[in-house]
Amino acid sequence: MLSGRVHPAEAYRQVEFDARVHGASQQELVWICFEQLIGALGTAIHADTIEDRALRSRSLSRAVSSLLALEMGLSGDDPVVLAMRDLYGRARTSILSCAVQFDAERLEQIRGDFAEIHAALSAG
């Protein structure tokens, strides 16, 4: 019955995401992007272990989209912005290469790095 349709859990996740984004402050949007990135990488790793290639692909795409949103939110050319732009670009390149040659260890490292940054931003 659901063939060709969005899975109900995915539809719920999208509605929840849209509700969080609508009216969020700039700082909250950054947190949401970090959460989406970290979650998407975790889901991609899990999807690979259960051999669900479609879920793995969707999750990697969601991770790349989160990085692009974070990068688009950067402005200026101070050293911190340049470092973040470089970090996002390198992470995006690594994630895209994992779409061709999956590397769970590399994705887990990226996930851990962004979880640390997210925790530091949340504490500040």
Side-chain angles (χ1 to χ4, degrees):
M1 285 293 227
L2 291 177
S3 65
R5 291 184 165 179
V6 175
H7 190 277
E10 181 64 22
Y12 177 79
R13 187 195 65 76
Q14 186 63 48
V15 169
E16 179 186 28
F17 176 78
D18 291 347
R20 286 183 68 202
V21 168
H22 185 69
S25 69
Q26 187 173 0
Q27 185 176 16
E28 290 167 335
L29 289 173
V30 170
W31 289 338
I32 290 168
C33 287
F34 270 88
E35 290 169 1
Q36 289 293 306
L37 172 60
I38 294 163
L41 292 174
T43 301
I45 293 165
H46 174 71
D48 187 63
T49 63
I50 62 171
E51 298 181 4
D52 186 338
R53 292 182 185 198
L55 177 59
R56 183 178 76 188
S57 179
R58 284 193 313 272
S59 299
L60 292 175
S61 293
R62 199 167 89 229
V64 169
S65 294
S66 298
L67 283 167
L68 288 172
L70 285 165
E71 193 169 1
M72 288 173 48
L74 295 174
S75 62
D77 59 356
D78 66 69
V80 173
V81 169
L82 295 176
M84 294 306 289
R85 189 171 285 127
D86 183 60
L87 174 68
Y88 297 157
R90 289 175 188 267
R92 186 177 63 252
T93 299
S94 290
I95 292 168
L96 288 171
S97 73
C98 287
V100 176
Q101 181 67 39
F102 195 81
D103 184 344
E105 281 186 39
R106 185 181 334 172
L107 292 177
E108 191 57 55
Q109 180 64 50
I110 294 167
R111 185 173 187 262
D113 291 345
F114 279 91
E116 283 184 35
I117 295 167
H118 183 257
L121 290 173
S122 299

